[in-house]
């Protein structure tokens, strides 16, 4: 083996806000020693071309996600509620603009 | 009671997985996937990440000797991008349950492959233009396809990378246009560089389809959408027009245009040379590995210092909180 094994720096997930008023979106991840360090690296890695006006970094370990196995049962309740959409409702023929 | 055996269970999962691939669904990190899909992706993605990182070396060679501030800024920005590309893909690979440290270690140990093109030397300044134009140009053809790969994190990294690669290629071509329209000596330098980089660029797409053992599997699983030969042909067709536009020639006496297919057909590729370089006997294999090891060793104090600083900060924060309580 060439070099001594080193422990990796903690993993962070990076979220970028593209323009003022836009929601933050997941851009990718990176390794860094602290939140401040992660922010600086995120700027260099994910915002070299004005891709962001604001950045969030979150320790990857702090994120809880739903699992693919949940797909069915977890999201089921939304499947049979067409009445939550405006298309569900009919208006009289004469009403063109609602 | 009917309990499914693990084998039947796996067969059902595999069928479901293959149905998802067939439906062009995106496979995400937590989804079930065949072990072989995972291991093939780790192999392919880590080789790709290593290539981005090692790819900084041939160009880095000329940063201090760039003839103008403009060219120097461009080259610095491009090389920095390549480092970023390595990082995007390493992070994508980590979602498959492998640690980046482990992958870097494989590279430093000389156990990992990376693109053979980076084992060729950059002998003249014109090589910096030729690399951007041809090597990044070939990479774009390949990466545009990979932006539709079935594995979500890989595809998303490719979308990001392709945007940046377009700058790499364009600056490289502009560079060659400038030389080709310059003095006779400058034009000769551009031609000489094209002569050396042409064939290795075609080899970047890998062996012919018939000799490419991993291709079928990668295609079956929607990682690759086109074959090596299809991609190579696309690159040749795109590039020949650009070569002609600046009145240079490719070093291939057999090159001909095929009316029926609309393709430019090249002469035979020297696969002996390809395999020599892949097996470690290229002009710069040991130099590249040596440079990576040196950079890793010389960067150790920075990594250690950053870690020590973070630990100290955490200690200070803890003490402050305790005092306040
Ligand atoms: Fe790149
Ligand atoms: Fe590039």
């Amino acid at each position: 083996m060439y070099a001594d094994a080193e422990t990796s720096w903690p993993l962070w997930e990076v979220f970028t806000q593209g323009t003022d008023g836009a929601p933050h979106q997941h851009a990718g991840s990176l390794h860094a020693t602290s939140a401040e360090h992660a922010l600086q690296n995120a700027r260099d890695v994910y915002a070299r071309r004005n891709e962001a006006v604001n950045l969030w970094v979150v320790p990857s370990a702090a994120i809880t996600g739903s699992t693919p196995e949940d797909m069915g049962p977890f999201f089921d309740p939304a499947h049979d509620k067409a009445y939550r959409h405006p298309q569900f409702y009919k208006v009289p023929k004469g009403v063109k603009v609602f | 009671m009917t309990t499914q055996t693990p084998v039947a269970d796996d067969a059902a999962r595999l069928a479901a997985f293959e149905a998802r691939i067939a439906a062009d669904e995106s496979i995400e990190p937590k989804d079930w996937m065949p072990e072989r899909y995972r291991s093939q992706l780790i192999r392919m993605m880590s080789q790709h990440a290593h290539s981005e990182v090692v790819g900084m070396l041939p160009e880095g060679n000329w940063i201090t000797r760039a003839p103008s501030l403009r060219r120097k800024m461009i080259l610095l920005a491009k090389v920095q991008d390549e480092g970023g590309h390595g990082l995007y893909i390493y992070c994508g690979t980590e979602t498959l349950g492998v640690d980046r440290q482990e992958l870097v270690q494989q590279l430093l140990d000389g156990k990992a492959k990376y693109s053979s093109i980076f084992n060729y030397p950059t002998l003249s300044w014109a090589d910096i233009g030729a690399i951007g134009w041809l090597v990044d140009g070939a990479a774009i053809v390949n990466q545009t396809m990979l932006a539709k790969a079935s594995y979500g994190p890989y595809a998303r990294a490719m979308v990001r990378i392709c945007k940046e690669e377009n700058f790499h290629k364009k600056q490289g071509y502009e560079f060659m246009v400038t030389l080709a329209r310059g003095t006779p000596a400058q034009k000769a330098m551009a031609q000489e560089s094209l002569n050396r980089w042409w064939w290795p660029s075609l080899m970047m797409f890998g062996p012919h389809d018939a000799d490419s053992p991993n291709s079928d599997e990668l295609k079956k699983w929607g990682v690759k959408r086109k074959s090596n030969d299809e991609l190579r042909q696309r690159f040749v067709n795109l590039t020949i027009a650009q070569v002609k536009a600046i009145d240079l020639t490719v070093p291939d006496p057999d090159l001909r245009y095929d009316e029926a297919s609309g393709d430019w057909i090249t002469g035979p590729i020297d696969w002996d040379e390809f395999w020599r370089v892949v097996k470690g006997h290229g002009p710069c294999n040991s130099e590249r590995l040596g440079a990576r090891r040196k950079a890793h060793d010389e960067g150790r104090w920075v990594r250690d210092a950053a870690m020590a600083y973070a630990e100290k900060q955490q200690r200070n924060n803890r003490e402050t909180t305790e005092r306040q309580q």
Side-chain angles (χ1 to χ4, degrees), chain B residues 107-212:
Chain B
L107 176 68
L108 296 175
D109 287 342
K111 290 180 193 153
K113 280 189 195 158
Y114 54 84
S115 181
S116 277
I117 192 86
F118 302 120
N119 287 320
Y120 290 86
T122 40
L123 302 175
S124 81
W125 169 243
D127 289 358
I128 299 308
I131 288 179
W133 175 31
L134 301 173
V135 176
D136 292 80
I140 293 173
V141 170
N142 193 36
Q143 291 172 159
T144 305
M145 165 196 71
L146 291 173
K148 297 188 195 85
S150 56
Y151 189 55
Y154 197 21
R156 290 191 287 273
M158 286 304 118
V159 170
R160 190 176 290 280
I161 285 177
C162 282
K163 283 188 201 150
E164 302 181 358
E165 291 294 358
N166 283 322
F167 143 60
H168 298 177
K169 181 184 170 174
K170 201 94 179 273
Q171 66 82 31
Y173 190 56
E174 185 220 58
F175 183 127
M176 294 301 268
V177 172
T178 309
L179 284 183
R181 292 183 180 159
T183 64
Q186 286 173 324
K187 184 171 182 187
M189 184 162 76
Q191 181 63 59
E192 189 274 335
S193 181
L194 171 57
N195 291 348
R196 277 183 293 111
W197 290 96
W198 175 250
W199 291 109
S201 300
L202 298 192
M203 293 176 199
M204 279 177 73
F205 296 95
H208 285 311
D209 298 346
D211 308 314
S212 179

Side-chain angles (χ1 to χ4, degrees), chain A residues 1-4 6 8-9 11 27 29-31 33-34 37 45-46 48-49 51 65-66 68-69, chain B residues 30-31 80-81 88 91 94 99-101 105 108-109 160 164 167 293 296-297 300 303 306-307 310:
Chain A
M1 190 180 251
Y2 167 71
D4 313 331
E6 294 182 27
S8 287
W9 291 342
L11 194 63
S29 53
L30 50 76
H31 290 271
T33 52
S34 66
H37 186 200
V45 176
Y46 293 105
R48 285 198 302 284
R49 290 182 173 79
E51 291 97 332
S66 63
E69 293 79 52
Chain B
K30 285 186 185 170
D31 295 349
Q80 189 191 18
D81 277 352
Y88 302 152
C91 282
E94 287 192 300
D99 193 88
R100 182 176 68 178
Q101 203 61 46
Q105 194 64 50
L108 296 175
D109 287 342
R160 190 176 290 280
E164 302 181 358
F167 143 60
R293 289 173 175 170
H296 189 78
D297 286 347
R300 183 182 306 274
R303 299 191 295 277
M307 206 63 183

Side-chain angles (χ1 to χ4, degrees), chain A residues 1-2 6 17 19-20 22-25 28 30 39 43-45 48 54 59 62 69 72 78-79 81 84 90 95 98:
Chain A
M1 190 180 251
Y2 167 71
E6 294 182 27
Q17 184 186 32
T19 51
D20 180 49
H24 284 69
Q25 266 192 346
L30 50 76
L39 263 185
R43 178 204 54 197
D44 292 343
V45 176
R48 285 198 302 284
N54 192 274
E69 293 79 52
H79 288 165
K81 295 180 178 61
R84 284 183 171 166
K90 306 226 171 354
V95 185
F98 186 75

